[in-house]
Amino acid sequence: MDEQAQAILQRILRRLSSKKIQTTLRAWGCLSPEQLEDLDYTQPKWLLLENLISKCEESRLRLKDVTKLEMVYHIENPNQGKWHAFKLTEPEDEAVSVDFTQFKEMFVAHLEEVVQHVSVRMKKQEDGAVWIRMAWGDNFTRPNHLKPTYAVHYLQTPYVFVLNLSAKHKPFLYQALVLSSRYTSINEAHLSCRSLTAMRDLLMKQYQQVFPNQERTLRERNAPPSNPNIEKEHAESAWRTHQMACEAFGDGAVPKLETAVYKLETRYRGSSNNTLSDRDELFRGVVKFSSSNLLESLRHCVSTGMAEAPVTPLLSSITQKGRNYFVITEKAPGATSQTPAR
């Protein structure tokens, strides 16, 4: 077993909790039940690693077998690292009928055609997700399995989620994805997060949504001024505010996004400082919201009155557009003041 294989084994053991090591190795399927039973999972990890390497050499396992274990780890722990979302656009007629076998054959063929040394492993899950592991090399070096790229694509959907992709390899992956999925192009979705599950749920609307009630909206518009001292109207007002918060961010468990970034490109307004107001250059800044569960935090702020309702489009666009990165620019005549990042 070479150094790369041993380094990958060491990295996986270091990341796994002691309780999950045995179940992960069992899911790997490359060691016999007797070999797994013979390992002492209560040992220090450095000693367990030595015994595991010995078992792998006993079974004549190689680097490609160890990369399978790494893939099992990432599939079982999808909320590791910084994932970025991409969206395929302009599907061809054949896009709806591409199956896993076709996708795999075309993807590998296209990638190997443009990259001389590349290692690709692919696996389809029961939920329809196709997991792709790519180790990149070049014309003179073999693939570096210590720095792989992971991509997750849901067939018959335009969404792709990518982990650890360098700018150098981005065009190669783009081309392989577009050609093998029968689309015309691919664009960044301006959505990134440490939770692959949250990104999938947000873009595919796999969370409990609350839709505006047309009858309630008309009743609110025609309602006479309320008396804030009446307990009943306080309760109704609180319910309406909570309803609007749920319409904007969802109800129940919501996708666990951690950040939302707004990049400002605007001009200084005011007469108190001519130095700033006379500048031709745009005034730039960045506003970043952070939380362990941003959507839940924003929903709570609106529901409790800490933030105004109805929710500003700048915040509700996170769920409506499935993004957490926005650019706010100068409002031009006939155009919106909020434009997508490029």
Side-chain angles (χ1 to χ4, degrees), residues 102-115:
Q102 292 173 315
F103 176 82
K104 181 177 181 179
E105 290 176 352
M106 289 188 290
F107 183 90
V108 174
H110 289 311
L111 208 55
E112 290 181 344
E113 185 177 348
V114 295
V115 184

Side-chain angles (χ1 to χ4, degrees), residues 213-226:
N213 185 307
Q214 186 67 19
E215 182 180 347
R216 172 183 63 81
T217 303
L218 293 174
R219 187 170 65 249
E220 287 176 357
R221 288 177 182 172
N222 300 325
S226 60

